[in-house]
Amino acid sequence: MSTETLDKAKANLPIRGYLKLDDIMIPQGDDLVQAILDLKKEKNAVILAHYYQIPAIQDIADFLGDSLQLARQAKDTDADMIAFCGVHFMAEAAKILNPTKKVVLPDLQAGCSLADGCSGEGLRKMREQHPGALIATYINCNAETKAESDIIVTSSNAEVIINSMPKDRPLIFAPDKNLGRYLMKKTGRDMILWDGSCIVHEAFSMERIAAQLAQHPDAKLIAHPESETPVLDLAHFIGSTSALLNYVEKDEAQKFIVATEEGILHEMKKRAPHKELLPALVFDESCNCSECFFMKRNTMEKLYLCMKYELPEITMDEELRLKALVPIEKMLELSKSVK
Ligand code: 13P
Ligand code: SF4
């Protein structure tokens, strides 16, 4: 490929979010897998992937995990490059935690409805409206929002962290109101909630899931806490992606209705090959609403391209990074006991 073509591609990145070059030959099938493995070796890279990624990416990853586990891996890696197969806020957290590493994301437009709906400025205003309040923010948010927060939580450590917050201060929880409501119930702690939600988890239909349960009386409903309250009220078990996986593996039930992003079924099937797994039903029968289209923007081809050209790269203003680092480090410190 000519330097001129590559320059053109680089110029396209902020708009397109990924390389799109007609004259680049991208290997396919087994060759593509091998090419990614070769790049990994050549660049001393590590591939981190979330459970919602497409199966091929989950299979090639060095580490597959939930958002807390991935943040820890990113912090501790000694690789030179982190190819982060997840959404933007996850790759950004990796950069915040390990700034000397090159962090690349296969598709820069892999966003998140929760992160997109909560700005740093919005949180600042909320703080002004509630003087003296502390702000606990879900990791599904951008660096500016993290920088305005007192502490970050993930779905696997949120309960432990909320329980550890000073009782004499009001508490704001952003941006996921469903997770917030669930935590209020679990911890008995009143919180002021930001009005945000996950477009994937709010698509689950309580009525249709109730019908599913009636049809499969031997099944257990398991749900991610980003789901709406009526769905959570029906659930036999509620937990983060890693908690749901562990539950399916260890529980004696043989059939589960799974109310979270469908990508997780790939790892669930591997861990519990003899169990029956049914995706929970969504309101609109005609859509693939239980797939996160942000997560699914990452493809094997884009993973190859981002590793080969080291683009798109996550970069950040150092002052912002340092501000965002403080509440993330507090979270890691307070949740050492959480696997
Ligand atoms: P986990 O932290 O449970 O992996 O959740 C991340 C996420 O984006 C869920 O929608
Ligand atoms: Fe964001 Fe929801 Fe997608 Fe998770 S599943 S990345 S919360 S939009």
Side-chain angles (χ1 to χ4, degrees), residues 52 87 112-114 140 198 200 226 292 294-295:
Y52 297 166
V87 288
C112 167
S113 65
L114 283 166
N140 297 37
C198 160
V200 178
E226 288 174 12
C292 175
F294 295 115
M295 286 278 183

Side-chain angles (χ1 to χ4, degrees), residues 120-135 148 150 170 172 192 194:
E121 198 191 337
L123 267 198
R124 254 195 315 279
K125 283 195 181 134
M126 208 162 174
R127 199 193 278 281
E128 278 164 22
Q129 284 160 9
H130 301 279
L134 291 169
I135 304 181
E148 292 299 328
D150 294 295
I172 293 170
I192 303 147
W194 181 277

Side-chain angles (χ1 to χ4, degrees), residues 175-193:
D176 188 355
K177 63 181 175 194
N178 293 313
L179 175 62
R181 277 192 205 115
Y182 168 72
L183 290 168
M184 281 170 41
K185 209 167 167 183
K186 281 293 270 189
T187 63
R189 178 89 196 239
D190 199 22
M191 298 195 289
I192 303 147
L193 302 180

Side-chain angles (χ1 to χ4, degrees), residues 58-106:
Q58 294 191 38
D59 291 344
I60 206 169
D62 296 292
F63 184 83
L64 183 63
D66 70 11
S67 40
L68 177 62
Q69 294 165 337
L70 290 169
R72 286 176 175 148
Q73 288 290 326
K75 181 176 190 270
D76 295 341
T77 186
D78 52 13
D80 295 321
M81 180 199 279
I82 300 172
F84 207 114
C85 299
V87 288
H88 188 270
F89 76 81
M90 294 178 175
E92 210 180 39
K95 187 69 185 175
I96 294 168
L97 283 161
N98 207 339
T100 61
K101 309 299 180 190
K102 179 166 277 196
V103 180
V104 291
L105 176 67

